[in-house]
Amino acid sequence: MLKTSVIFAAGAAMVLTAPAMAQSREERAEQAFQELVEGRTAGEPQACISAFNSNRLRLEEGVGIVYEQGDTLWVARAQRPEALDRWDLPIIERRGSRLCSIDVTRTIDRSSGMFSGVLFLDDFVPYTKNESEG
């Protein structure tokens, strides 16, 4: 009887702390985004961008897809950024020459090569370095 009570109590504690853990992941995702765009000004969102150098495209943990173009970072935030981690690699099926937020984007685990998820993106927002930041 005591063993059952201990297991039940442990399970209840996990259920009660799950929202707090999820909230802290969301907070970490937002902090990662703020650090990424610090010292930059947001521009007008665009559904598609010209992204010719795929080596400048990366998945940013807790944020989404980032493309560097000169002094501008194009950021397409993931709709569930807390689900992204440093082991995810994006696989993007482009429909044309431009990179679009509606392109089918999957992630694979970097270490195993196994499918790890589907990525739904918001539009790409340009973040340009502020003049005073140099």
Side-chain angles (χ1 to χ4, degrees):
M1 179 73 164
L2 178 63
K3 186 176 182 180
T4 305
S5 297
V6 170
I7 292 171
F8 178 75
M14 289 175 64
V15 168
L16 292 174
T17 59
M21 291 171 60
Q23 185 180 12
S24 65
R25 278 193 305 249
E26 290 170 4
E27 289 173 352
R28 284 195 304 266
E30 186 58 30
Q31 181 180 0
F33 172 73
Q34 292 301 326
E35 289 173 4
L36 179 69
V37 299
E38 184 176 355
R40 296 175 179 271
T41 302
E44 194 67 32
Q46 296 184 24
C48 299
I49 62 171
S50 295
F52 299 110
N53 296 326
S54 59
N55 62 335
R56 293 184 181 164
L57 180 70
R58 68 179 189 269
L59 190 137
E60 190 72 29
E61 180 180 1
V63 177
I65 299 284
V66 177
Y67 180 74
E68 288 186 63
Q69 189 176 45
D71 285 345
T72 303
L73 287 180
W74 289 91
V75 180
R77 294 184 76 171
Q79 292 180 5
R80 291 191 54 237
E82 69 278 1
L84 299 175
D85 67 30
R86 65 182 180 186
W87 297 106
D88 289 328
L89 288 174
I91 306 297
I92 302 169
E93 295 178 27
R94 290 189 187 190
R95 301 287 182 228
S97 62
R98 295 170 46 103
L99 179 62
C100 298
S101 58
I102 62 168
D103 289 338
V104 175
T105 305
R106 295 177 178 87
T107 56
I108 61 170
D109 182 87
R110 180 185 314 257
S111 61
S112 70
M114 301 281 292
F115 172 81
S116 60
V118 176
L119 196 55
F120 295 97
L121 300 170
D122 293 334
D123 284 347
F124 286 89
V125 177
Y127 289 89
T128 308
K129 285 185 182 178
N130 295 333
E131 299 275 334
S132 62
E133 299 293 324

